[in-house]
């Protein structure tokens, strides 16, 4: 009976001998192409020759730093996963959150664990510890990261299954969506108009919250998408159209810049503007001093967080203090859902599907269609 072949990418017994009077170690290695080849190394002593051969065999097994095996650590796996993520079209903010979670939790707590050691029970204990020490939100984020990491490990053949898919993550206690009423929106616009009319605390600061909220209400766009708008490429006042093609992000070491894609592919959209927004933009165009529609005082790109800070100051102590820039998206989504349906609301907001819109952006509609005429059948002709 013939001897069974070596498993792929493994070697057989190492034999010590002498070749041309030098200490030599020899072994047969079954390569990734299925062929078995002899390998040998020489050294000052037999033990030295064997060490050199083992090193050569391991180098052959892992020819590049990108190669993952069951012996690779989770830190190495996370690093390779982030290479894949950074090369994708995901939003910069998403990439940043993944890397922050890896730095804060994976690398510190389980970075030295080997892929073969990362069993579901061990990873569950890790996620539970993250939930206890950093909160349920971070634990759920780790679920996403671990699932992504082990998806890569499975593709490399470094893991048989995805440990992340069997983790029990903290449940989300979702609060009911609160969308602003029409009266809330009217109140907010009045507050912003009054705020903009006051002299700025600093001479070079911009006060144009009234224009920004009108754009948010006219589009349902995210604040970063609104601040990324350019007169030359995104606004067509002749056709009453605006194109959402990017967003404003901040990246350490790079600062604030325009990301040439919005949050997702579905967020790329062309929207028709209502009359109040066209009028507002026409006035702004006359006074514009750069290509940004909502620039800083110096004509530079504006950071969303600065707008949010101004917003918070303006609404403090009012009946609409609870409202944020995201509240405007909820107001838009709810109005369109009520008039045109959930699909139209989802398309306006730039969501991949109706599920996100329904779950996070529109108030739950408890009233159902009138079915009373059909139910009368239960008592008809019964007397």
């Amino acid at each position: 009976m013939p001897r069974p072949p070596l498993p792929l990418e493994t070697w057989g017994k190492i034999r010590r001998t002498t070749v041309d009077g030098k200490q030599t170690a020899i072994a047969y290695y079954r390569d990734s192409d299925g062929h078995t080849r002899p390998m040998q190394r020489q050294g000052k002593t037999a033990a030295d020759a064997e060490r050199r051969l083992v090193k050569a065999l391991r180098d052959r097994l892992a020819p590049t730093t990108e190669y993952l095996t069951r012996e690779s650590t989770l830190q190495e796996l996370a690093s390779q996963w982030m290479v894949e993520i950074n090369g994708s079209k995901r939003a910069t903010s998403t990439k940043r959150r993944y890397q922050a979670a890896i730095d804060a939790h994976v690398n510190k707590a389980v970075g030295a664990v080997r892929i073969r050691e990362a069993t579901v029970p061990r990873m569950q204990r890790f996620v539970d510890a993250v939930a206890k020490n950093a909160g349920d939100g971070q634990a759920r984020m780790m679920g996403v990261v671990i699932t992504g990491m082990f998806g890569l490990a499975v593709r490399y053949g470094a893991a048989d299954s995805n440990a992340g898919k069997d983790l029990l993550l903290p449940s989300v206690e979702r609060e009911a969506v609160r969308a602003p009423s029409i009266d809330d929106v009217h109140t907010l616009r009045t507050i912003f108009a009054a705020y903009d009319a006051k002299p700025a605390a600093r001479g070079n600061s911009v006060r144009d919250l009234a224009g920004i909220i009108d754009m948010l209400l006219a589009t349902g766009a995210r604040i970063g998408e609104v601040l990324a708008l350019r007169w030359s490429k995104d606004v067509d006042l002749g056709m009453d159209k605006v194109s959402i093609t990017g967003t404003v992000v901040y990246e350490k070491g790079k600062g604030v810049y325009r990301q040439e894609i919005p949050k997702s592919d579905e967020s790329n959209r062309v929207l028709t503007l209502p009359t109040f927004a066209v009028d507002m933009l026409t006035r702004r165009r006359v006074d514009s001093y750069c290509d940004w529609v909502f620039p800083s005082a110096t004509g530079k790109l504006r950071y969303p967080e600065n707008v949010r800070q101004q917003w918070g100051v303006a609404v403090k102590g009012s009946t609409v203090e609870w409202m944020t820039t995201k509240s405007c998206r909820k107001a838009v989504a709810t109005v369109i859902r009520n008039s045109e349906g959930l699909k139209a609301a989802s398309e306006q907001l730039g969501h991949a599907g109706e599920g996100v819109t329904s779950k996070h952006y529109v108030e739950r509609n408890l009233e159902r269609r009138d079915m009373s005429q059909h139910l009368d059948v239960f008592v008809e002709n019964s007397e």
Side-chain angles (χ1 to χ4, degrees):
M1 183 175 180
R3 179 181 298 177
L6 291 167
L8 284 174
E9 298 177 325
T10 64
W11 59 86
K13 183 178 180 180
I14 296 176
R15 181 169 59 89
R16 296 180 180 183
T17 185
T18 57
V19 176
D20 297 331
K22 295 181 180 180
Q23 296 294 330
T24 306
I26 301 175
Y28 283 91
Y29 178 86
R30 190 170 182 227
D31 231 324
S32 57
D33 60 3
H35 292 286
T36 302
R37 299 179 173 92
M39 288 184 65
Q40 69 177 44
R41 289 295 185 272
Q42 294 179 325
K44 296 179 180 179
T45 65
D48 181 43
E50 184 169 337
R51 283 194 297 270
R52 289 171 182 264
L53 177 59
V54 169
K55 183 179 184 303
L57 289 165
R58 287 175 175 169
D59 289 344
R60 191 176 186 88
L61 176 64
T64 70
T65 56
E66 295 182 356
Y67 196 88
L68 292 171
T69 71
R70 296 176 186 275
E71 296 302 314
S72 300
T73 65
L74 294 192
Q75 184 168 349
E76 292 168 338
L77 174 59
S79 177
Q80 288 304 313
W81 182 63
M82 282 307 303
V83 169
E84 185 177 272
I85 291 297
N86 288 328
S88 70
K89 291 184 177 181
R90 295 174 195 263
T92 299
S93 57
T94 300
K95 298 173 183 177
R96 190 167 60 242
R97 286 197 299 272
Y98 288 164
Q99 187 62 65
I102 289 169
D103 293 340
H105 304 299
V106 174
N107 291 347
K108 289 184 178 180
V110 291
V113 173
R114 307 285 176 180
I115 292 176
R116 63 175 172 79
E117 299 171 326
T119 60
V120 173
R122 180 168 283 114
M123 300 313 293
Q124 183 67 60
R125 290 194 295 272
F126 164 60
V127 170
D128 291 345
V130 172
K132 179 180 179 181
N133 299 321
D136 290 349
Q138 279 293 293
R140 288 192 293 271
M141 172 62 75
M142 288 317 309
V144 174
V145 169
I146 292 170
T147 301
M149 287 169 51
F150 277 87
L152 177 62
V154 171
R155 293 196 297 277
Y156 269 76
D160 295 325
S161 60
N162 192 325
K165 292 185 176 181
D166 291 321
L167 296 175
L168 178 62
L169 303 175
S171 60
V172 180
E173 294 184 7
R174 183 167 59 93
E175 296 182 358
V177 175
R178 181 184 183 184
S181 66
I182 301 300
D183 288 341
D184 289 332
V185 171
H186 290 169
T187 298
L188 190 63
R189 293 184 74 243
T190 300
I191 289 173
F192 284 171
Y195 178 83
D196 290 349
K198 294 179 181 178
R202 294 182 300 173
N204 65 342
S205 63
V206 177
R207 289 202 171 193
D208 58 354
L209 290 180
I212 289 175
I213 189 179
D214 277 358
M215 201 63 188
L216 292 172
L217 293 169
T219 60
R222 303 170 179 89
I223 183 61
E225 294 171 343
V226 167
L227 297 181
L229 292 175
R230 302 158 297 183
W231 292 114
S232 61
K233 298 181 179 180
D234 303 318
V235 178
D236 186 346
L237 290 175
M239 298 296 294
D240 297 347
K241 302 282 187 180
V242 63
S243 299
I244 307 298
T245 60
T247 189
V248 178
V249 297
Y250 171 82
E251 190 173 347
K252 189 175 181 180
K254 192 173 182 179
V256 179
Y257 65 95
R258 186 184 194 275
Q259 179 180 279
E260 295 305 317
I261 54 171
K263 187 173 182 180
S264 64
D265 288 339
E266 292 76 12
S267 296
N268 272 299
R269 57 206 191 277
V270 178
L271 304 173
T272 301
L273 295 168
T275 302
F276 73 86
V278 174
D279 292 342
M280 177 272 295
L281 289 173
T282 301
R283 293 191 299 270
R284 290 190 70 89
R285 189 65 177 117
V286 172
D287 298 328
S288 61
Y289 49 91
C290 68
D291 198 33
W292 303 117
V293 177
F294 296 98
S296 69
T298 58
K300 295 181 179 179
L301 192 60
R302 211 130 137 224
Y303 185 37
E305 193 56 37
N306 293 340
V307 174
R308 292 189 183 100
Q309 289 177 359
Q310 270 193 328
W311 183 300
V313 171
V315 300
K316 188 174 183 180
S318 71
T319 57
V320 290
E321 186 174 2
W322 60 275
M323 287 182 62
T324 65
T325 57
K326 190 174 182 178
S327 300
C328 294
R329 279 172 63 77
K330 295 178 181 179
V332 170
T334 300
V335 166
I336 294 178
R337 189 278 310 271
N338 291 344
S339 58
E340 298 293 333
L342 186 60
K343 186 176 186 296
S346 178
E347 291 174 348
Q348 180 80 19
L349 267 60
H351 289 155
E354 298 172 24
V356 174
T357 314
S358 175
K359 186 176 181 180
H360 299 289
Y361 287 89
V362 296
E363 286 190 350
R364 185 181 178 189
N365 189 355
L366 298 179
E367 189 168 345
R368 302 296 184 261
R369 289 186 298 165
D370 184 357
M371 297 289 110
S372 59
Q373 59 180 324
H374 302 291
L375 302 179
D376 278 335
V377 68
F378 292 124
V379 296
E380 287 177 354
N381 302 321
S382 63
E383 296 181 0

